[in-house]
Amino acid sequence: MTFKHQVFFNVLAKDLNNALELVEIAKDRVLVGVMVKNFPTEEAAIELVKEFKDNNILVSVGLGAGDPNMWRKVANVSVATLPDHINQVFPASGYTLGRMEQTTENVPVINSLVEPTGMPGQVYISTGPASSAYREKVSCELVAAMIAELGIPSIKLYPIEGEKGLEELAAMTQAAVKAGIKIIEPTGGITLDNVHVIVQTCLDNGAETVIPHLYTSIIDKETGDTKPSAMKQLIEMTW
């Protein structure tokens, strides 16, 4: 996938109809997430991804709350469906890229998930099922260099806890840009009220493309749909 815009929005959809509503508003600036954790089998997730793709919806295959145990399911579903975007834990991002390169010439954008530590300039890369038991900090510069070496084009920082993580987001973005990584994906606690400053922080620190993930904050609690009105509000924002 080639990103044509500076800011994209990664959101959820209750079903095909909801996804189509969102795409009608946002066109190619919205990625609709399919969280593999929400499906009992890989086949069930594959079916929905294919349905979305058949309806010209840009699909982002995700773990589900960053669940490290879903990494292989993400890779398998992605190989079977060739989505537009893939979310993956740091330890499995290179593996996933390799499998996609063996499967298609049009490799999706893959991110590598790293976790804030509470200290700007340092993150956790131990986001896999076994490694997540270890809490050892590494510098943003080191992790950005490693992700660049893997050939991964995007870094996802999760959970940033909304505006609480702005300093850490700025530091990670600066390190990513220095390493040649141009896409940043802030995730966790992002709402209509704070998304502008979060995206602006990434842009101010050199990111060329920003993909904020907005999930539960824009879902109608009564219907389960992502609100079309919220999508409209997002698309009308300028930076």
Side-chain angles (χ1 to χ4, degrees), residues 179-220:
I181 296 170
K182 301 175 180 179
I183 307 171
I184 297 295
E185 304 188 39
T187 309
I190 304 180
T191 67
L192 291 174
D193 293 328
N194 62 27
V195 63
H196 194 280
V197 68
I198 288 169
V199 170
Q200 191 65 56
T201 297
C202 297
L203 297 174
D204 287 348
N205 286 280
E208 291 188 11
T209 303
V210 186
I211 309 175
H213 294 228
L214 293 93
Y215 293 159
T216 56
S217 69
I218 59 171
I219 290 177
D220 186 314

Side-chain angles (χ1 to χ4, degrees), residues 115-178:
E115 183 182 342
T117 63
M119 183 178 297
Q122 295 189 312
V123 294
Y124 298 121
I125 60 174
S126 50
T127 53
S131 61
S132 56
Y134 299 89
R135 302 279 83 184
E136 298 178 19
K137 302 178 179 70
V138 299
S139 71
C140 288
E141 288 78 10
L142 172 60
V143 69
M146 293 175 71
I147 291 172
E149 284 177 334
L150 291 171
I152 300 295
S154 179
I155 295 178
K156 178 176 178 178
L157 188 62
Y158 168 81
I160 65 165
E161 299 182 72
E163 291 182 67
K164 181 180 177 182
L166 287 181
E167 281 190 72
E168 291 184 86
L169 180 60
M172 187 69 258
T173 303
Q174 289 171 13
V177 171
K178 183 180 177 181

Side-chain angles (χ1 to χ4, degrees), residues 33-79:
V34 174
M35 305 294 106
V36 300
K37 185 176 182 175
N38 296 338
F39 296 84
T41 63
E42 290 177 6
E43 289 71 23
I46 288 167
E47 184 178 345
L48 183 61
V49 174
K50 287 183 174 179
E51 183 180 37
F52 281 0
K53 285 176 63 67
D54 287 345
N55 284 273
N56 298 313
I57 295 164
L58 300 181
V59 180
S60 172
V61 172
L63 300 151
D67 187 339
N69 296 301
M70 295 295 111
W71 74 268
R72 190 179 294 276
K73 197 172 179 181
V74 162
N76 291 343
V77 169
S78 297
V79 166

